[in-house]
Structures are given as structure tokens and as C-alpha cells.
Amino acid sequence: MLIAPFASDRIKHAAYELSLGEEAYVTSSGCKITRRRGEHITIPPGQFALLHSAEIVHVPADALAFISIKARIKLKGLINVSGFHVDPGFRGQLVFSVHNAGSRPVTIACGDPCFLIWFGNLTQATADTYDGGHRGQSGISPDAIDRINGEIASPAELSARLRDVSRAMKAQWALIGILFTLVIASIFQPTITRWFERTTVSTPTQTTSK
């Protein structure tokens, strides 16, 4: 069996639609989250996430698989950054490392068809089958979380930082303006006072006799 559980209505245009599993890790949350079928996962702009397929995938030794995210989700800005193929001999749930390159949050529901997989036959079986650490993987491992963690330097994050710096600079310039005004006022206050004293000296009142 290439995919388990298998549903024939998930075959579309030579691809099989894999559904979103129950575990996810979003860099903005800082912890792995679990959602039941139908519940949503939201990935904010500029953030990375780890998502996994609900199905177990088996790629035989005489085949190679290619994977992608469905177009309706990619058009929201979510892109796959973890690779685009599955080696011969792999068996387990697929984990997708994704990045929200859009300007709005991307929300997807557990159990919904989110990923695509295509199988291609090799001319013969290979002895060089997959034997890495992801064999038999189920859900999202702590190692995968450690690899994706770190400071996010995305366009959205940089834009937010620039806005913060701009607001701070405006506040600083406003404070400098106030201090400058007070300094100037304290320097020229004696001169201004003397000028007012000279201009307010009273003159004698003249009377006109008839």
C-alpha cells in the first residue's frame, strides 16, 4: 500500500491529496500544538511552521515521489521550504516545513486536503533506499522543531521592527524639540524681560484747555 489510509476520491489529476495531520509547530507560538479534525491552524505572516500529513506514505524501491502544497493554499502565500521529493524506500508521515511569505495569516483545517504527492516509476529497483532518521516518523519530532527555531528575519518582521524604530525616533525628536525650546527660552528670558520693561514705561498724560 502506497498510502494509508487510502481513499480513492483523493486521486486528482494523477496526484493524491494528502490531508493535514493533527500536530503542528508555528514559530510564533513557541510550542507544538495539537488540533482535532476540523479545527484550525493559523500561520501569521513571516512565520515558519512544521506540518505533517495525516497519512503514512510508502515509496517502494522502484519509485520516486514528488510533493507540493495545493495551489489554493500556495496562493495565500504559504510555500514549502523543506524539499520537493521523497526518496525510494521511505515510509512514514511526511513533515512539511513551510513559510508564510504573504501579508496575511494563513489558516488551514486539520483533515483537509492540503498536500499533493505524485509517484513515478524507476526503470528498476534501487539498492540505495532511504535509511535516514525520518524513517517511520509519526508527527513532528523535537529535532525538527530545534532545526526550525531561531530569530525570524522575514519581510513582515523587518517591517514591524522598522515601524517600532520610526515611532521611537519620532518620540526622541519631539523630546529634543521640547528641550531645545526650553534652553532657548532660558537664555533669552532676561533680554526679553528688559525689552518689555522699556516698552511699558508710562508717558505723562496731556490735558487740553478750552
Side-chain angles (χ1 to χ4, degrees):
M1 180 70 71
L2 299 179
I3 298 171
F6 176 82
S8 59
D9 60 348
R10 287 290 183 90
I11 300 176
K12 302 289 177 63
H13 311 298
Y16 188 90
E17 297 179 333
L18 298 172
S19 56
L20 180 63
E22 295 181 346
E23 290 184 356
Y25 177 82
V26 182
T27 49
S28 59
S29 68
C31 62
K32 186 165 66 173
I33 57 178
T34 302
R35 295 288 186 267
R36 295 188 180 90
R37 185 180 181 87
E39 294 180 338
H40 296 87
I41 294 170
T42 299
I43 305 168
Q47 297 297 313
F48 289 87
L50 295 172
L51 310 172
H52 75 90
S53 66
E55 297 84 359
I56 295 174
V57 173
H58 174 222
V59 183
D62 60 349
L64 180 69
F66 299 93
I67 54 176
S68 180
I69 299 176
K70 295 199 66 173
R72 66 175 177 83
I73 301 175
K74 287 191 291 187
L75 292 175
K76 297 179 181 179
L78 200 66
I79 57 176
N80 175 27
V81 295
S82 57
F84 305 95
H85 78 280
V86 187
D87 294 326
F90 174 86
R91 182 189 294 271
Q93 292 178 324
L94 298 177
V95 174
F96 292 78
S97 177
V98 298
H99 175 242
N100 183 359
S103 59
R104 297 180 179 179
V106 175
T107 300
I108 48 182
C110 292
D112 282 0
C114 295
F115 315 110
L116 297 172
I117 185 168
W118 296 263
F119 290 90
N121 291 328
L122 303 177
T123 55
Q124 62 183 22
T126 177
D128 186 21
T129 56
Y130 180 81
D131 60 355
H134 300 294
R135 178 188 293 273
Q137 71 182 353
S138 176
I140 298 171
S141 68
D143 288 341
I145 293 175
D146 289 340
R147 285 194 294 271
I148 202 174
N149 269 333
E151 187 174 1
I152 305 301
S154 66
E157 180 70 16
L158 293 175
S159 178
R161 292 182 185 180
L162 286 174
R163 286 195 298 270
D164 292 340
V165 171
S166 177
R167 285 193 292 266
M169 290 184 65
K170 288 179 180 178
Q172 289 178 357
W173 279 112
L175 179 60
I176 291 172
I178 294 172
L179 292 175
F180 181 77
T181 302
L182 292 175
V183 170
I184 295 299
S186 64
I187 292 174
F188 289 98
Q189 182 179 2
T191 303
I192 296 171
T193 301
R194 287 194 297 270
W195 182 83
F196 272 106
E197 289 174 350
R198 288 198 301 269
T199 57
T200 56
V201 173
S202 59
T203 57
T205 305
Q206 296 181 351
T207 59
T208 304
S209 60
K210 294 184 180 179

